[in-house]
Amino acid sequence: MLSGKRIILGITGSIAAYKSAEIVRRLKASNADVTVVMTRSGMEFITPLTMQTLSRSPVYTETFVLQKDSRIAHIEIVKSADLFLIAPATANIIGKITAGIGDDVLTTMVLSARCPVLIAPAMDSDMYYNPIVQRNISSLKERDYRFIEPEDGELASGIIGKGRLADIEKILSSVIDVLVVKKDLADEVVLVTAGPTREYMDPVRFISNRSTGKMGFALAEAAKSRGAEVILISGPASLHKPAGAELINVVTADEMREEVMKNLQRATIVVMAAAVSDYMPVKMWQDKIKKSGKDINIGLTEVTDILSEIGKNKGGRIIVGFAAETNDLINNAQIKLNEKNLDMIVANDVSKPDAGFEVDTNIVTIIEKDGMITEHGKMSKKEVAHRIFDKIVRLKRRYSDSIIV
Ligand code: CTP
């Protein structure tokens, strides 16, 4: 699967460094070409000889090793790399990368990397949650460095907490995600909506819901990685803008509707993942509503259903909706699919603990216009996003085949 891919594996001084041996073995088994680079403290935990034997390539531990033709070897290697994986990555290396320090072979190589850099932190949980480390991670994420989150479990210190190096399967699947991306949406303009909307009743109070935007942002990222031009219209969410996507921030359902309509003509695929408010207050108080000692009634009126409006004006677009349900999932979702004139609906039971709002995972059932129903077990929102686009691509092919026939 990774045939011909050049991967640099950076190993730093964490007890989890022994797991790097298995990472190299698995990458080699997938036919990747692996070059190992170790920091001085990394070498305290595992030897360069082990890594050299497993990678079947020289291991870089010193900055100035000259190749036969006198060019600096480590810079040559990083120039032709497809991926720079650092596993395990200590708080120290994360701090150095953030600060742009190049004081050993690993940091100088990361500084000159043009390929994606994937970092798998492993450290004590107090260190991981230290605001300085968290700020470093956020700032690297903003610069498109990717992270594989550490796991909860027993740490070397004996305490239970977050900080264990991610599972090797997860590390390998992240490597594959970065290196083996399909570009099957290269000719598409994908419009995605995300997050909640807020309907204000006075300058400080509003009606909203528990949506965080995670599903919509994952969809935007997935579409982008598959080559699409992406327009992401999002309600209030505290997430990083997916690299390369056009992000339009909105607050209310009306603003979301306006932006969707403004951008609809450009879109060839629309995925409405936003949890748009169904109701808004009949009126908005100009000043903050004061306590009066009496009950007050706030009348609510229905807001326009954006998806239904798009469904009426569909053209050749693929339109996908979400159905957030707490009961009778399939039936309710099927009704929405038909009433809103959709090609596909993604139904999720938002009452389940690992699905729907706020969490990083989802459990969905995808229902297509022709009645095909596919159930997906618990998976990350990113994976759900890819499954949805797999279906959309197949649907597009089916539609264009039927036009040719
Ligand atoms: N939706 C929309 N505009 C609205 C409300 C919902 O575009 N004002 C979209 C959502 O983005 C989602 C789909 O419609 O893709 C279904 O939303 P959901 O909240 O599950 O259902 P509703 O249609 O609002 O119906 P109900 O709340 O009664 O289940």
Side-chain angles (χ1 to χ4, degrees):
M1 198 165 199
L2 296 174
S3 188
K5 299 290 182 193
R6 295 175 180 192
I7 301 173
I8 300 176
L9 173 64
I11 302 173
T12 67
S14 153
I15 181 71
Y18 76 91
K19 295 183 184 166
S20 320
E22 181 61 9
I23 298 174
V24 173
R25 199 187 66 74
R26 296 287 300 274
L27 291 174
K28 291 296 289 182
S30 296
N31 293 323
D33 178 354
V34 185
T35 302
V36 174
V37 186
M38 302 177 78
T39 61
R40 227 172 263 272
S41 36
M43 288 188 284
E44 300 286 335
F45 291 93
I46 190 159
T47 67
L49 182 61
T50 307
M51 303 317 294
Q52 180 157 326
T53 311
L54 290 169
S55 67
R56 281 169 253 140
S57 287
V59 171
Y60 288 83
T61 56
E62 296 298 331
T63 312
F64 301 108
V65 178
L66 295 184
Q67 277 183 329
K68 275 192 222 101
D69 62 1
S70 294
R71 281 177 295 178
I72 298 173
H74 67 277
I75 299 295
E76 289 301 303
I77 283 171
V78 82
K79 262 188 202 157
S80 60
D82 297 300
L83 174 72
F84 206 131
L85 169 67
I86 307 177
T90 55
N92 186 45
I93 192 82
I94 292 170
K96 281 190 191 176
I97 299 172
T98 313
I101 294 171
D103 64 351
D104 63 9
V105 65
L106 179 52
T107 45
T108 34
M109 284 174 87
V110 180
L111 271 179
S112 32
R114 284 189 223 137
C115 59
V117 179
L118 189 56
I119 301 175
M123 65 193 76
D124 179 70
S125 142
D126 287 338
M127 255 190 224
Y128 183 68
Y129 284 116
N130 184 311
I132 300 171
V133 174
Q134 285 301 315
R135 191 202 53 204
N136 289 344
I137 292 175
S138 301
S139 105
L140 287 177
K141 278 184 180 169
E142 280 167 25
R143 290 175 172 79
D144 283 342
Y145 286 75
R146 300 165 206 219
F147 280 80
I148 311 170
E149 248 191 73
E151 292 178 356
D152 282 306
E154 193 178 343
L155 302 168
S157 57
I159 58 163
I160 309 280
K162 190 169 184 155
R164 277 167 72 100
L165 182 70
D167 188 66
I168 290 183
E169 295 306 327
K170 198 168 155 197
I171 295 178
L172 292 170
S173 96
S174 305
V175 167
I176 290 166
D177 261 14
V178 177
L179 290 176
V180 195
V181 276
K182 303 164 229 163
K183 295 287 177 198
D184 50 6
L185 293 175
D187 300 326
E188 309 294 340
V189 179
V190 178
L191 190 160
V192 179
T193 64
T197 61
R198 287 179 183 174
E199 313 306 322
Y200 279 85
M201 58 189 79
D202 76 10
V204 294
R205 300 183 181 98
F206 53 82
I207 298 177
S208 191
N209 55 64
R210 289 167 49 212
S211 170
T212 54
K214 285 182 178 173
M215 190 64 242
F217 276 59
L219 281 156
E221 262 167 37
K224 194 69 223 165
S225 73
R226 293 168 81 141
E229 182 182 334
V230 176
I231 309 160
L232 173 61
I233 302 174
S234 177
S238 346
L239 299 169
H240 292 298
K241 175 173 115 59
E246 180 185 339
L247 174 64
I248 302 170
N249 290 306
V250 296
V251 178
T252 65
D254 269 352
E255 286 169 16
M256 183 169 280
R257 181 188 162 275
E258 198 183 314
E259 288 299 337
V260 168
M261 294 309 162
K262 216 190 272 174
N263 289 284
L264 189 62
Q265 286 313 315
R266 287 203 281 152
T268 57
I269 295 168
V270 179
V271 187
M272 277 290 298
V276 188
S277 183
D278 289 333
Y279 291 95
M280 61 186 210
V282 179
K283 73 169 230 191
M284 176 168 162
W285 277 257
Q286 287 310 310
D287 298 313
K288 188 180 163 213
I289 304 168
K290 288 286 183 195
K291 277 202 295 277
S292 64
K294 283 186 260 153
D295 291 348
I296 56 164
N297 288 315
I298 295 172
L300 298 176
T301 181
E302 239 182 73
V303 305
T304 315
D305 191 303
I306 307 170
L307 197 51
S308 297
E309 202 173 332
I310 304 172
K312 288 191 192 106
N313 200 356
K314 197 163 169 276
R317 284 172 208 98
I318 299 267
I319 311 280
V320 179
F322 269 71
E325 306 295 344
T326 53
N327 63 300
D328 212 359
L329 182 74
I330 306 293
N331 203 19
N332 281 333
Q334 247 153 356
I335 293 171
K336 286 176 191 170
L337 174 83
N338 296 331
E339 284 184 349
K340 301 192 187 203
N341 193 25
L342 311 178
D343 295 281
M344 195 189 293
I345 193 149
V346 183
N348 56 349
D349 182 342
V350 288
S351 63
K352 285 192 182 153
D354 293 322
F357 299 131
E358 293 160 335
V359 288
D360 291 320
T361 52
N362 214 347
I363 304 165
V364 302
T365 302
I366 301 179
I367 309 173
E368 290 167 72
K369 196 162 71 175
D370 66 2
M372 173 121 126
I373 298 181
T374 324
E375 283 185 30
H376 295 281
K378 181 173 130 185
M379 54 179 74
S380 70
K381 287 189 170 166
K382 190 169 161 203
E383 274 180 86
V384 171
H386 277 291
R387 298 296 162 92
I388 294 168
F389 284 118
D390 288 345
K391 290 257 176 216
I392 291 175
V393 167
R394 244 172 273 149
L395 208 62
K396 277 228 134 195
R397 280 198 203 119
R398 260 206 337 256
Y399 287 173
S400 58
D401 286 352
S402 62
I403 290 165
I404 292 161
V405 168

